[in-house]
């Protein structure tokens, strides 16, 4: 994981090149290997193998109850993050503040059917991608999870835009690629979403 030959019992995970994304992967591997829930904060507080082993042993003794799906018999309450988004949407309805368009460049021909099937599979697997926030008659919001269904998407080939952008992203004198400006990314997002 860290790309080093040996890791000593007292070596610090972060000093060896670990970062937050690797830490999440490590926590996941610990969960799979030992069946123990170790919090990400625990890894930051105990970054050596010896210290982390103590956390794993302590976790075995006091394991958390298993995660079970919430019952669907009553309206599902909003999480704190969903409550925040609901509140912000009530202040500015229809805002696209949290919508971040991301241009995706494909080399070669796009297999639209394969991309559509992949999107459908991801959306079918993750309920959060099918969840809407809806207010009841009293104005109290709750989650509504829609059943899996095909994801409609449109794509366009923007050859002229891609050609201009690739010219702008050409190698600079320092050998580094220029990043797209925010305006260029927004332009591309609108062109592809539209």
């Amino acid at each position: 994981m860290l790309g080093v030959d040996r890791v000593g019992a007292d070596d610090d995970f972060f000093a060896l090149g670990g970062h937050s994304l690797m830490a999440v992967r490590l926590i996941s591997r610990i969960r799979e290997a030992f069946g123990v829930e170790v919090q990400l904060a625990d890894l930051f507080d105990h970054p050596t193998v010896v210290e982390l082993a103590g956390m794993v042993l302590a976790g075995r003794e006091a394991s958390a109850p298993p995660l079970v799906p919430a019952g669907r018999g009553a309206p599902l309450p909003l999480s704190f993050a969903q409550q925040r988004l609901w509140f912000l949407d009530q202040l500015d309805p229809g805002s696209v503040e949290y919508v971040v368009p991301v241009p995706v460049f494909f080399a070669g021909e796009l297999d639209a059917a394969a991309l559509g099937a992949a999107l459908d599979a991801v959306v079918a697997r993750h309920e959060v991608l099918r969840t809407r926030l809806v207010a009841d008659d009293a104005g109290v919001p709750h989650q509504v999870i829609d059943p899996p269904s095909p994801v409609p998407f449109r794509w366009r080939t923007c050859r002229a835009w891609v050609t201009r952008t690739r010219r702008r992203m050409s190698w600079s004198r320092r050998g580094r690629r220029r990043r797209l400006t925010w305006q260029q990314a927004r332009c591309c997002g609108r062109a592809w979403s539209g």
Side-chain angles (χ1 to χ4, degrees):
M1 175 182 285
L2 292 170
V4 295
D5 293 332
R6 293 183 61 163
V7 176
D10 294 315
D11 289 339
D12 186 293
F13 174 78
F14 299 102
L16 293 174
H19 51 74
S20 59
L21 293 177
M22 276 190 198
V24 171
R25 282 189 229 137
L26 178 59
I27 296 297
S28 177
R29 287 185 182 180
I30 290 171
R31 183 182 310 116
E32 289 173 13
F34 301 107
V36 174
E37 288 293 328
V38 175
Q39 300 300 315
L40 187 59
D42 293 335
L43 179 57
F44 282 95
D45 293 338
H46 308 282
T48 66
V49 174
V50 168
E51 293 171 333
L52 201 53
M55 296 301 300
V56 169
L57 290 174
R60 281 192 170 174
E61 294 169 5
S63 62
L67 292 175
V68 294
R72 302 294 198 247
L76 296 170
L78 272 54
S79 69
F80 292 121
Q82 289 170 323
Q83 289 175 16
R84 185 179 69 243
L85 290 174
W86 174 263
F87 176 75
L88 292 173
D89 187 63
Q90 300 310 298
L91 291 175
D92 187 12
S95 170
V96 293
E97 187 67 29
Y98 288 95
V99 176
V100 181
V102 179
V104 179
F105 296 98
F106 292 96
E109 292 298 315
L110 173 66
D111 185 343
L115 178 59
L119 287 173
D120 291 345
V122 169
V123 170
R125 180 175 175 92
H126 300 284
E127 286 182 337
V128 71
L129 298 175
R130 298 180 275 118
T131 301
R132 296 179 289 126
L133 308 182
V134 178
D136 60 18
D137 294 336
V140 178
H142 61 275
Q143 300 180 54
V144 174
I145 302 171
D146 294 325
S149 63
V151 177
F153 79 98
R154 294 187 303 176
W155 59 276
R156 295 182 185 172
T157 301
C158 303
R159 293 193 199 293
W161 187 88
V162 169
T163 302
R164 283 194 315 270
T165 302
R166 284 191 178 150
R167 269 192 235 127
R168 288 185 193 135
M169 290 176 63
S170 63
W171 293 98
S172 70
R173 291 182 188 147
R174 293 188 193 116
R176 292 187 307 215
R177 272 199 135 139
R178 277 187 38 195
R179 295 180 187 269
L180 285 176
T181 65
W182 176 245
Q183 187 61 34
Q184 289 169 329
R186 287 181 60 204
C187 235
C188 179
R190 277 198 299 269
W192 284 356
S193 65

